[in-house]
Amino acid sequence: MRSQPANRINLPNDILLTYAEELLDQGKEVILTAKGNSMLPFIRDSKDSVCLKRAERIDIGDIVLAKVPQRGYIMHRIIGLDTDHVTLMGDGNICGTETCSRNDIVGCVKEIIKPGDRRRKPTKGRIWRFLKPFRRYLLFILRRIYK
């Protein structure tokens, strides 16, 4: 059984992520435990954590924390970008996207932290995005493996 670090706090998402946004605005880094399966296979629910930093510059393929109107905070990958708007989609989603403004991007994932404190830089997910037509089948298998 993994013991919790002394500086770990469990809060409701709306409170936690609002506070995380304030810290990111101050230039601090924030580490959050992932919740949900929308970023499978790269970020796993309750097993992986992410280290966020303020998004100075964003690009297609970046994993970001965004405040999406009528949805709240989500962590998804950027799949489309224009002057004003950003289109997001979770790697673990078969279809369905969210759109927000560039100003709604709260932070960018700097590192993905796996169990045992193994840290790695996130990729741009190019191959996974290319495999989009086959995601339904790949995710079916991966969800069985990760259970």
Side-chain angles (χ1 to χ4, degrees):
M1 187 167 133
R2 192 166 93 176
S3 64
Q4 288 191 357
N7 59 351
R8 181 178 286 245
I9 301 170
N10 290 317
L11 295 170
N13 271 352
D14 57 336
I15 295 170
L16 174 68
L17 297 174
T18 300
Y19 183 59
E21 183 176 3
E22 290 173 16
L23 291 173
L24 291 166
D25 285 342
Q26 295 171 19
K28 297 180 179 169
E29 292 182 355
V30 175
I31 296 176
L32 298 171
T33 301
K35 297 291 179 197
N37 289 312
S38 69
M39 286 305 294
L40 270 177
F42 303 103
I43 302 173
R44 297 175 302 158
D45 176 44
S46 301
K47 290 182 175 35
D48 299 335
S49 297
V50 293
C51 179
L52 294 164
K53 65 177 182 175
R54 186 75 186 148
E56 300 296 327
R57 189 177 74 79
I58 56 172
D59 198 7
I60 290 177
D62 289 343
I63 301 171
V64 296
L65 178 65
K67 192 186 318 183
V68 176
Q70 286 84 41
R71 288 263 340 254
Y73 291 94
I74 60 168
M75 185 176 304
H76 284 171
R77 190 179 299 276
I78 297 174
I79 61 165
L81 197 57
D82 66 28
T83 309
D84 299 321
H85 296 93
V86 179
T87 304
L88 306 167
M89 182 177 185
D91 290 341
N93 296 345
I94 297 166
C95 61
T97 61
E98 294 84 14
T99 304
C100 64
S101 76
R102 286 178 174 260
N103 293 332
D104 293 328
I105 302 297
V106 174
C108 191
V109 174
K110 175 185 171 184
E111 291 180 313
I112 299 170
I113 306 167
K114 298 291 186 179
D117 203 33
R118 293 176 298 137
R119 295 171 179 251
R120 64 179 185 85
K121 301 267 185 219
T123 67
K124 296 286 185 177
R126 286 182 184 94
I127 294 171
W128 188 248
R129 286 184 284 136
F130 175 76
L131 293 172
K132 186 177 177 187
F134 308 102
R135 269 190 203 179
R136 174 183 314 276
Y137 310 107
L138 296 170
L139 287 168
F140 177 81
I141 294 165
L142 289 170
R143 286 188 175 120
R144 299 297 177 264
I145 291 170
Y146 289 137
K147 274 193 176 183

